Amino acid sequence: MKTLPSISILVMSYNQEAYIADCVDSVLSQEYDGELEFIFCDDNSSDSTFSIIQEKVRQYTGTRRIVAHKCPENGRVAVNMNTAVSLSQNDWLMRVDGDDILHPDRTRLSALAIMNDADAVAVSGQLKEFSSTPTPIKNPSDSDVVFKSYHHRQFTDRTKPDKLEWWGGVMTMSRRIFTEFGNMPAECDVLDDTMFGVRSLMLGNIVIIENAVLLYYRRHSTNVSSAVNHDASLSIRQLIRSDLASRDYYKRGVHCHQPILAELQTHSTLYPEYSTLYRYFKFLFSELQRQAFFWEKSWNERIADAHISGPFWKKIPWALKVMCPFTYALAAKLMKKS
């Protein structure tokens, strides 16, 4: 690609009044020489999130196309994404969550990644977590930025390339993943980024920017993914609560992955060269199910599921870990100390 790609920045918000102003400011301050538009799609927030967006849009003095839309009802992540896409006009879609902050380089570097690979269908990169105010990060010069392309042929039945990640909040995707596959299934209200990754791999390459930060990712108590926390430095009570919340999150993910697998199965039937990709995601899906329903199995089934083997004295901490949520947390603490 010799010309700069046209990009739509899609900001999806819901009850994020404490964070949305920072997000909007980071979006509207993106510097980019190509065609760019801003789409703010609020999922019927019950707080002042959309009012803040409207005020920021009213104050905007630039020349870019800008849309602020509030959905008439709360449709959750996938439906809100579909609405944002329908409001946009450009060839490339940059997904942004209303509680995050874009790095000033994000649009420009994402465009460079797209231009670097003629088969690119999606771009992803690095993110930096923060909780209150992010520490500014200086990225390498454009000539020193490293791009790496990944495609479906690099997958095996159980593994994917090590550095390939498709975090939704840091992705920019071709509109083709919607025009060729249709809207996101409404069930994809968590782990929707897996659908982005799968569709991209069925159409072409995912380009990873390996050494530049594109997004400041805000960690807070209401993050959808904040439940997935296995940090053994937490207290016993916190570890139990985190483990149960994580498995509930995985259960929602199982529900969301069913339409993803169905699309991939249909595609691999039509194009057998994608069968390895299908087998990998089927394996990933089975692991998700294993995590989600682990505590609902019998103790013997959990022992077998965890593949515990070896001498008796080596089995003890692992057996504790699969006995119940309390012993899981206790074993995690003991194993961290050892």
Side-chain angles (χ1 to χ4, degrees):
M1 180 181 289
K2 296 182 179 179
T3 58
L4 288 169
S6 63
I7 297 175
S8 301
I9 301 182
L10 312 180
V11 180
M12 277 145 307
S13 59
Y14 178 66
N15 286 354
Q16 293 161 327
E17 61 182 2
Y19 315 121
I20 191 64
D22 289 341
C23 177
V24 175
D25 287 342
S26 73
V27 168
L28 297 181
S29 62
Q30 290 289 296
E31 294 186 2
Y32 182 55
D33 292 333
E35 186 177 344
L36 183 65
E37 67 176 1
F38 310 116
I39 310 296
F40 298 96
C41 194
D42 183 75
D43 200 16
N44 198 248
S45 292
S46 58
D47 62 8
S48 62
T49 298
F50 189 64
S51 297
I52 295 170
I53 292 172
Q54 286 180 306
E55 179 60 20
K56 290 286 184 181
V57 169
R58 189 188 65 79
Q59 296 172 359
Y60 177 65
T61 58
T63 58
R64 308 285 192 181
R65 179 175 182 260
I66 186 166
V67 175
H69 173 79
K70 184 172 183 176
C71 297
E73 58 184 29
N74 179 242
R76 306 186 71 125
V77 173
V79 174
N80 198 24
M81 180 71 180
N82 293 336
T83 303
V85 172
S86 71
L87 294 169
S88 67
Q89 298 178 347
N90 291 337
D91 296 332
W92 291 84
L93 311 170
M94 181 181 294
R95 183 188 185 281
V96 180
D97 292 319
D99 51 356
D100 295 333
I101 297 176
L102 271 62
H103 191 285
D105 298 336
R106 177 168 176 180
T107 305
R108 190 187 77 258
L109 291 182
S110 297
L112 287 178
I114 292 166
M115 297 172 72
N116 187 68
D117 186 342
D119 295 320
V121 180
V123 172
S124 189
Q126 310 312 307
L127 54 82
K128 180 66 175 179
E129 294 186 1
F130 75 103
S131 56
S132 55
T133 302
T135 302
I137 293 174
K138 182 176 177 57
N139 283 323
S141 63
D142 290 359
S143 59
D144 292 328
V145 173
V146 177
F147 304 107
K148 181 69 179 292
S149 295
Y150 296 89
H151 49 80
H152 75 275
R153 294 180 297 277
Q154 294 169 293
F155 283 72
T156 70
D157 289 0
R158 288 176 174 255
T159 61
K160 66 177 178 63
D162 285 341
K163 294 184 178 182
L164 174 57
E165 300 291 347
W166 42 78
W167 296 305
V170 78
M171 287 186 75
T172 299
M173 302 153 284
S174 169
R175 181 177 289 275
R176 291 174 58 204
I177 73 168
F178 288 89
T179 57
E180 300 196 25
F181 290 103
N183 280 343
M184 294 278 290
E187 301 96 308
C188 293
D189 61 345
V190 297
L191 299 175
D192 52 302
D193 41 10
T194 303
M195 178 66 88
F196 300 148
V198 168
R199 287 183 171 185
S200 298
L201 290 164
M202 288 193 287
L203 292 173
N205 295 347
I206 297 178
V207 182
I208 302 297
I209 303 174
E210 293 192 341
N211 62 339
V213 170
L214 302 184
L215 180 77
Y216 298 110
Y217 177 76
R218 192 188 300 267
R219 279 287 184 188
H220 56 88
S221 60
T222 57
N223 279 124
V224 172
S225 59
S226 63
V228 186
N229 188 343
H230 301 288
D231 184 356
S233 63
L234 298 175
S235 69
I236 293 288
R237 179 179 294 180
Q238 288 172 322
L239 270 171
I240 294 171
R241 186 183 300 118
S242 176
D243 181 64
L244 295 175
S246 296
R247 295 182 196 278
D248 181 66
Y249 177 80
Y250 294 141
K251 287 178 183 178
R252 293 174 61 192
V254 167
H255 181 63
C256 297
H257 271 60
Q258 291 169 343
I260 298 173
L261 267 186
E263 279 191 8
L264 188 48
Q265 184 177 27
T266 299
H267 193 76
S268 62
T269 300
L270 295 172
Y271 307 99
E273 64 268 28
Y274 289 87
S275 58
T276 301
L277 190 67
Y278 170 66
R279 289 194 295 271
Y280 166 75
F281 278 98
K282 189 174 181 180
F283 164 72
L284 189 67
F285 182 67
S286 67
E287 287 294 293
L288 195 68
Q289 287 180 307
R290 186 179 70 83
Q291 290 284 343
F293 300 105
F294 191 77
W295 295 125
E296 297 175 23
K297 298 178 181 180
S298 70
W299 189 73
N300 285 335
E301 287 175 323
R302 293 199 295 271
I303 289 283
D305 195 22
H307 306 293
I308 298 173
S309 60
F312 175 75
W313 61 89
K314 289 188 176 182
K315 291 182 182 180
I316 294 175
W318 290 101
L320 283 173
K321 204 165 186 179
V322 302
M323 190 175 293
C324 69
F326 175 77
T327 57
Y328 159 80
L330 180 62
K333 301 291 284 185
L334 292 173
M335 294 170 83
K336 179 177 174 62
K337 289 182 179 179
S338 63

